[in-house]
Amino acid sequence: QVQLVESGGGLVQAGGSLRLSCAASGITWSINAMGWYRQAPGKQRESVATISRDGSTNYVDSVRGRFTISRDNAKNTVYLQMNSLKPEDTAVYYCNVESRIIGPTRYYWGQGTQVTVSS
């Protein structure tokens, strides 16, 4: 129904920046909220940032003020601008979207992109 392709991960030094992109395809008009999650080795996946269709955002405390989530509905793409990166930001970052046409909301995940921040 919805497919997600992520890009933009990589290796960066502490204090640097990266911009992640996640492009959706399929039944994209069904997409409501979009977000980014991350999972470090041995840790649970956590929500990093979410954005509603109208642009309302939410951030986990640890990234607030450093990361910015945005979306381009015309391109069916969500972005995560990550500034002032810290080693503890190192994780696999996953794009997530919620989709509802009728009935229950469904969730779709991107393939994940590695972000590594060196000290």
Side-chain angles (χ1 to χ4, degrees):
Q1 187 174 8
V2 176
Q3 298 80 45
L4 304 174
V5 178
E6 301 178 30
S7 62
L11 175 64
V12 66
Q13 292 184 358
S17 298
L18 286 172
R19 190 191 192 208
L20 306 183
S21 298
C22 175
S25 61
I27 311 177
T28 55
W29 56 262
S30 70
I31 295 173
N32 294 315
M34 308 180 80
W36 291 94
Y37 290 69
R38 66 186 180 187
Q39 187 167 26
K43 300 183 69 175
Q44 291 184 290
R45 188 173 298 186
E46 68 171 348
S47 175
V48 177
T50 59
I51 183 167
S52 67
R53 184 184 291 178
D54 67 0
S56 179
T57 60
N58 191 35
Y59 299 90
V60 67
D61 288 345
S62 60
V63 310
R64 188 173 292 111
R66 299 188 296 119
F67 292 9
T68 302
I69 188 171
S70 61
R71 64 191 289 172
D72 185 336
N73 291 334
K75 295 182 178 180
N76 303 307
T77 300
V78 62
Y79 306 93
L80 186 67
Q81 179 66 46
M82 304 185 293
N83 298 325
S84 302
L85 282 161
K86 303 175 180 179
E88 48 263 48
D89 295 318
T90 296
V92 177
Y93 284 70
Y94 297 91
C95 177
N96 174 264
V97 305
E98 63 174 35
S99 171
R100 184 178 185 273
I101 301 172
I102 193 169
T105 298
R106 299 184 180 187
Y107 298 89
Y108 297 88
W109 294 92
Q111 80 279 13
T113 185
Q114 178 70 48
V115 171
T116 302
V117 184
S118 64
S119 59

